[in-house]
């Protein structure tokens, strides 16, 4: 039955709570089927469809009459004065009720049932059903006798409010995986996951799923991997899911306005900086490269511009001098997941959700890393070089040239020393090498030689006789 059929008919409020007397009374049989009965049937169907239920009994809208309506996906069934005439077998399954919206329970009912009743014209009809239809018929007829499913349930559980939020999650790398995990563990209703297509990886160029896809598969959440986010078919698929909110964490694609406009609460993004600082793709690396002592996470409503949306929640994270791109990434991913959960809970609590407009005049940018960002310029001051090395540790690694070959350097420290920038001014066999810079010098304690593995400099020095005065 289409919704249009009930246009002009109002959905009625549903009575809730196991203590409500109207839900606990035995309803009276209908003596005469007339226009007001038919009007009530229309109102009941409209109410059931509007609430997304599969069945409704008249007492649930406050009327103690023996009328039920059902639709388990096979069309509308209307029954006046229904009576079970046959019941066979047993089946236990989870059951809920529009009058007990926070509960579900395991109820054993007849597997197959036959019910006799009257239709809206007053003709006697029989309905026979099994599975969900059988269950729904018995559940609704129970309502007419003041019986709720919790009276018969073996086990009653509370539905967490989080699971009622319809969430579509979009993300790709490990940073996003942590957020998806938090949503599932906090029982948010993640209906679908959208992630980048599988990519060839490693020497064998094996097609490899994203970390987010692997996690979604382990939770058996449906995964979408569109090549383009503008694909009209993909946009329709998202629209059809009717999400309350779309969560976007490092998805890796720009979303078109058509998608931003779908969820009623909007598209929420988790960004790895204190906006409007470090808008863009590489906020974590750039914060360390710049020697920042504090960075953080911002959640925001996505807008069409890059990271320009109104901010919701923010959390500061100190950057320690020992932090690397890797360690800060992991900290921010964890805090990002927590802040995302806090943000989504604001929507559940019906509280005013903050919307702080970004001051564009304070915006700074964190563009994606380029190969040039990796090359160490020894003419810079030692502090900048050390920050660059730790920002790019473990990935992609700061590079230099040794004896004509590209190497990567890690674990740098500012030390005293004078020399031509790039010159090895000391070799400490058990510790590392000291290289002069534009100011002072840098002690380098780890290296990844071309085609080699990352190793302590002391191990490298065992096989390589580096000399004072050599240039990097
Ligand atoms: Zn019910």
């Amino acid at each position: 039955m289409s919704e249009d059929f009930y246009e002009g008919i109002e959905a009625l409020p549903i009575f809730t709570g196991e203590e409500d007397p109207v839900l606990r009374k035995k309803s009276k049989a209908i003596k005469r089927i007339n226009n007001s009965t038919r009007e009530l049937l229309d109102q009941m169907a409209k109410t059931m469809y509007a609430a997304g239920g599969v069945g409704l009994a008249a007492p649930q809208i406050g009327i103690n009459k023996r009328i039920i309506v059902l639709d388990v996906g096979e069309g509308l069934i209307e029954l006046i004065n229904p009576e079970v005439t046959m019941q066979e077998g047993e089946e236990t399954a989870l059951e809920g009720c529009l009058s007990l919206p926070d509960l579900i329970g395991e109820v054993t009912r007849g597997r197959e049932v036959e019910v006799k009743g009257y239709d809206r014209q007053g003709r006697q009809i029989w309905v026979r059903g099994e599975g969900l239809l059988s269950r729904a018929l018995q559940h609704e007829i129970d309502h007419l006798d003041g019986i709720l499913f919790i009276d018969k349930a073996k086990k009653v559980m509370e539905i967490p409010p989080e699971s009622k939020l319809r969430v579509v999650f979009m993300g790709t790398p490990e940073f996003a995986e942590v957020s998806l995990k938090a949503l599932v563990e906090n029982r948010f209703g993640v209906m679908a996951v959208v992630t980048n297509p599988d990519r060839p990886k490693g020497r064998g160029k094996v097609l490899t799923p994203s970390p987010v896809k692997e996690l979604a598969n382990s939770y058996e959440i449906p995964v979408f991997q569109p090549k383009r986010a503008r694909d009209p078919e993909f946009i329709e698929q998202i629209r059809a899911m009717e999400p309350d909110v779309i969560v976007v964490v490092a998805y890796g694609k720009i979303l078109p306005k058509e998608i931003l406009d779908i969820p009623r609460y909007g598209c929420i993004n988790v960004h790895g900086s204190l906006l409007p600082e470090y808008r863009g793709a590489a906020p974590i690396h750039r914060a360390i490269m710049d020697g920042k002592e504090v960075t953080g996470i911002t959640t925001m409503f996505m807008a069409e511009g890059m990271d320009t949306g109104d901010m919701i929640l923010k959390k500061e994270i100190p950057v320690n001098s020992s932090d690397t791109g890797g360690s800060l990434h992991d900290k921010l991913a964890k805090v990002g997941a927590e802040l995302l959960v806090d943000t989504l809970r604001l929507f559940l609590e019906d509280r005013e959700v903050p919307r702080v407009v970004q001051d564009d005049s304070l915006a700074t940018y964190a563009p994606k890393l380029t190969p040039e960002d990796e090359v160490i310029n020894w003419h810079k001051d030692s502090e900048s070089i050390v920050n660059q090395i730790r920002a790019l540790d473990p990935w992609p690694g700061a590079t230099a040239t040794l004896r004509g070959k590209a190497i990567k350097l890690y674990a740098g420290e500012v030390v005293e020393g004078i020399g031509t920038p790039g010159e090895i001014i000391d070799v400490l066999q058990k510790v590392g090498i000291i290289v002069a810079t534009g100011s002072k010098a840098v002690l380098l304690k780890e290296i990844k030689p071309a085609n080699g593995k990352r190793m302590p400099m002391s191990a490298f020095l065992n096989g390589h006789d580096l000399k004072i005065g050599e240039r990097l």
Side-chain angles (χ1 to χ4, degrees), residues 23 55-57 60 95-100 139-140 143 147-149:
L23 294 173
L56 191 79
Q60 292 182 276
E95 207 170 302
C97 177
L98 293 173
S99 290
L100 300 167
H139 176 116
E140 299 312 331
H143 271 300
I147 298 165
L148 297 173
F149 85 84

Side-chain angles (χ1 to χ4, degrees), residues 299-352:
T299 57
M300 66 174 149
F301 290 102
M302 286 174 82
E304 279 185 275
M306 186 185 61
D307 301 327
T308 54
D310 292 349
M311 302 179 289
I312 307 168
L313 296 178
K314 230 179 219 190
K315 187 160 182 186
E316 289 188 359
I317 305 294
V319 185
N320 303 324
S321 59
S322 61
D323 269 321
T324 61
S327 71
L328 187 61
H329 165 280
D330 294 352
K331 279 188 210 175
L332 288 175
K334 187 167 168 283
V335 172
E338 290 164 6
L339 209 63
L340 172 61
V341 167
D342 291 347
T343 301
L344 294 188
R345 288 205 170 122
L346 293 174
F347 295 108
L348 295 174
E349 289 159 7
D350 264 338
R351 277 167 46 192
E352 181 96 21

Side-chain angles (χ1 to χ4, degrees), residues 5 15 63 85 230 255 335 352 377 413 423 457:
F5 182 84
F15 285 65
I63 295 166
T85 51
R230 294 182 177 280
L255 296 184
V335 172
E352 181 96 21
N377 174 359
E413 253 173 54
E423 182 189 11
M457 192 66 84

Side-chain angles (χ1 to χ4, degrees), residues 168-172 193-199 213 222-238 241 251-256 259:
V168 169
F169 183 88
M170 300 188 179
T172 298
V193 162
V194 182
T195 189
N196 265 339
D198 296 2
R199 294 257 157 90
K213 181 181 176 182
V223 174
F224 294 82
Q225 296 179 279
K227 281 207 185 93
R228 301 175 328 123
R230 294 182 177 280
D231 177 13
E233 199 184 316
F234 168 64
I235 295 172
E236 276 323 302
Q237 283 170 324
I238 298 295
M241 286 185 241
Y251 172 40
K253 283 185 168 51
I254 309 267
L255 296 184
I259 290 183

Side-chain angles (χ1 to χ4, degrees), residues 93-358:
L94 278 181
E95 207 170 302
C97 177
L98 293 173
S99 290
L100 300 167
D102 298 328
L103 300 176
I104 49 170
E106 263 179 27
V107 186
T108 303
R109 297 203 185 263
R111 197 180 55 76
E112 210 181 332
V113 78
E114 187 185 70
V115 174
K116 179 179 84 175
Y118 294 88
D119 71 6
R120 57 165 58 215
Q121 309 302 341
R123 291 176 295 220
Q124 189 154 55
I125 52 169
W126 281 265
V127 177
R128 206 185 165 99
E130 49 181 44
L132 181 57
L133 178 56
S134 167
R135 177 168 297 276
L137 283 163
Q138 295 168 72
H139 176 116
E140 299 312 331
I141 292 171
D142 271 354
H143 271 300
L144 306 180
D145 295 321
I147 298 165
L148 297 173
F149 85 84
I150 49 168
D151 306 340
K152 296 185 164 178
K154 269 189 280 193
K155 216 162 95 190
V156 178
M157 289 156 283
E158 230 169 288
I159 304 173
E162 284 82 357
S163 69
K164 290 180 200 154
L165 196 71
R166 300 165 66 83
V167 181
V168 169
F169 183 88
M170 300 188 179
T172 298
E174 283 91 354
F175 188 79
E177 186 191 357
V178 181
S179 280
L180 175 59
K181 189 160 185 271
L183 293 188
V184 172
E185 284 178 353
N186 284 283
R187 302 173 75 182
F188 281 94
V190 183
M191 315 149 64
V193 162
V194 182
T195 189
N196 265 339
D198 296 2
R199 294 257 157 90
K201 220 176 170 182
R203 295 214 176 131
K205 299 278 173 210
V206 183
L207 270 188
T208 308
S210 73
V212 161
K213 181 181 176 182
E214 291 209 51
L215 184 66
N217 284 343
S218 78
Y219 291 135
E220 296 178 0
I221 300 172
V223 174
F224 294 82
Q225 296 179 279
K227 281 207 185 93
R228 301 175 328 123
R230 294 182 177 280
D231 177 13
E233 199 184 316
F234 168 64
I235 295 172
E236 276 323 302
Q237 283 170 324
I238 298 295
R239 198 189 308 281
M241 286 185 241
E242 297 182 7
D244 293 320
V245 61
I246 295 178
V247 170
V248 184
V249 188
Y251 172 40
K253 283 185 168 51
I254 309 267
L255 296 184
K257 189 165 186 306
E258 289 107 294
I259 290 183
L260 297 182
D261 288 343
I262 291 174
R264 61 175 174 141
Y265 293 139
C267 290
I268 306 298
N269 180 237
V270 178
H271 186 77
S273 80
L274 300 171
L275 289 170
E277 207 172 61
Y278 296 120
R279 290 176 177 173
I284 302 173
H285 289 116
R286 301 281 175 197
I288 299 187
M289 279 170 128
D290 291 349
K292 283 275 171 188
E293 287 176 4
V294 175
T295 184
I297 291 285
T298 308
T299 57
M300 66 174 149
F301 290 102
M302 286 174 82
E304 279 185 275
M306 186 185 61
D307 301 327
T308 54
D310 292 349
M311 302 179 289
I312 307 168
L313 296 178
K314 230 179 219 190
K315 187 160 182 186
E316 289 188 359
I317 305 294
V319 185
N320 303 324
S321 59
S322 61
D323 269 321
T324 61
S327 71
L328 187 61
H329 165 280
D330 294 352
K331 279 188 210 175
L332 288 175
K334 187 167 168 283
V335 172
E338 290 164 6
L339 209 63
L340 172 61
V341 167
D342 291 347
T343 301
L344 294 188
R345 288 205 170 122
L346 293 174
F347 295 108
L348 295 174
E349 289 159 7
D350 264 338
R351 277 167 46 192
E352 181 96 21
V353 178
R355 251 185 191 275
V356 182
V357 177
Q358 294 190 38

Side-chain angles (χ1 to χ4, degrees), residues 344-417:
L344 294 188
R345 288 205 170 122
L346 293 174
F347 295 108
L348 295 174
E349 289 159 7
D350 264 338
R351 277 167 46 192
E352 181 96 21
V353 178
R355 251 185 191 275
V356 182
V357 177
Q358 294 190 38
D359 183 346
D360 289 340
S361 72
L362 299 177
T364 60
Y365 292 90
K368 209 173 129 181
L369 295 176
T370 64
E372 291 83 77
D373 287 316
E374 298 168 28
V375 180
I376 298 172
N377 174 359
W378 298 105
H379 291 272
K380 283 190 174 174
D381 64 276
S382 295
E383 200 128 332
S384 302
I385 292 170
V386 166
N387 287 338
Q388 178 188 10
I389 289 171
R390 66 192 181 100
L392 304 181
D393 177 1
W395 180 89
T399 63
T401 309
L402 178 66
R403 295 177 180 172
K405 284 187 177 151
I407 54 163
K408 293 191 175 190
L409 294 167
Y410 310 92
E413 253 173 54
V414 180
V415 292
E416 295 299 326

